[in-house]
Amino acid sequence: MRKPSFSLTGYGVGWSANRRAALVAIGLACLLAVAGATAYLTGRGEQHRSSSSSPAAPSSTSPATSDGTQKSAADTGSVPRPPRISDPLAFAMAAAEMLWSYDTRDTSNEQQLTGMQAWMTTESEYSDWASVSAQMPTPALWARMADQQQRATATVSEAHYPAAFKQALAEDPSAITEAYIYAVTVTGQQTIAWAKGGHGAEDRSITLAVQCRPSADCSLVAIAPRVAP
């Protein structure tokens, strides 16, 4: 019988209205909002879902400590670093794979969060860390997952710009230059395994807001409350 698993991005996220005002001056149908131009992205966790997981998050640079020094790989466990790329679709695919992958055998709850935060944009007016961190299980749940040696890997199949996002850009191409934040929907599959040979797989879909300013590496802005087609 399949044991319950935790899904990071299946951890319902609802967006706070006071953050709605940003991103790409686009009114994305599922309300991806943040703060800046017109409806886009930002949110806060709502409900917990314990069926597969997806925390880890890479970063092009290691997160800095309070004294300004760089944290070592040990501080982020198995969480990969984000790729240094400037293409929104490619970055979103990497971010989704990161979010759908984790290993409680060698990574603590704190390390997972640290690794995920390294993917976030450093522009505080757009960063919606709440919508990303809300995907994480509590330390107590993470400990139970670790007891079962739960881990997950992911395979990404495709990424595309949601129809509403493309329409909004077509109507106002200059809107993207406000914050250079793009909505990207990614699909793939997550494979979960645990102690004594237990395993399972689930199809995954997620809509992310990623920031890709000209001549700069992309970064994660937020996770949408629901998938945008």
Side-chain angles (χ1 to χ4, degrees):
M1 180 177 186
R2 181 172 174 177
K3 295 184 180 180
S5 56
F6 170 77
S7 174
L8 183 75
T9 53
Y11 205 62
V13 179
W15 292 5
S16 49
N18 62 353
R19 306 262 318 177
R20 277 179 199 145
L23 281 310
V24 221
I26 315 185
L28 195 53
C30 28
L31 292 188
L32 311 171
V34 172
T38 311
Y40 187 75
L41 234 310
T42 194
R44 185 175 50 184
E46 252 174 36
Q47 65 178 15
H48 162 250
R49 177 179 170 188
S50 111
S51 48
S52 8
S53 172
S54 112
S59 164
S60 43
T61 57
S62 300
T65 60
S66 58
D67 61 3
T69 60
Q70 295 296 307
K71 290 189 175 185
S72 67
D75 291 314
T76 57
S78 62
V79 180
R81 296 182 180 183
R84 304 195 64 176
I85 52 180
S86 57
D87 177 66
L89 295 178
F91 181 84
M93 292 175 74
E97 184 175 354
M98 172 276 289
L99 289 169
W100 294 333
S101 305
Y102 62 93
D103 194 334
T104 63
R105 297 172 302 177
D106 59 13
T107 304
S108 68
N109 183 274
E110 182 179 1
Q111 287 175 318
Q112 194 73 29
L113 281 169
T114 298
M116 290 167 64
Q117 192 165 30
W119 285 69
M120 300 297 295
T121 177
T122 57
E123 297 182 35
S124 59
E125 65 269 40
Y126 299 119
S127 177
D128 182 21
W129 172 237
S131 70
V132 178
S133 61
Q135 309 305 309
M136 274 293 291
T138 63
L141 176 55
W142 188 269
R144 293 200 297 274
M145 291 164 62
D147 289 342
Q148 294 298 321
Q149 300 178 16
Q150 190 169 314
R151 62 270 189 196
T153 57
T155 301
V156 173
S157 56
E158 72 89 33
H160 66 272
Y161 297 118
F165 180 85
K166 291 191 292 185
Q167 180 179 349
L169 277 184
E171 294 173 353
D172 185 4
S174 65
I176 195 70
T177 61
E178 172 72 24
Y180 287 96
I181 294 175
Y182 303 77
V184 181
T185 293
V186 183
T187 58
Q189 185 177 73
Q190 181 186 56
T191 300
I192 305 164
W194 51 87
K196 299 181 180 179
H199 66 278
E202 292 184 311
D203 291 334
R204 292 284 176 206
S205 294
I206 188 174
T207 297
L208 304 173
V210 299
Q211 184 177 49
C212 300
R213 288 193 180 280
S215 303
D217 297 331
C218 293
S219 57
L220 182 61
V221 172
I223 296 176
R226 39 186 191 280
V227 179

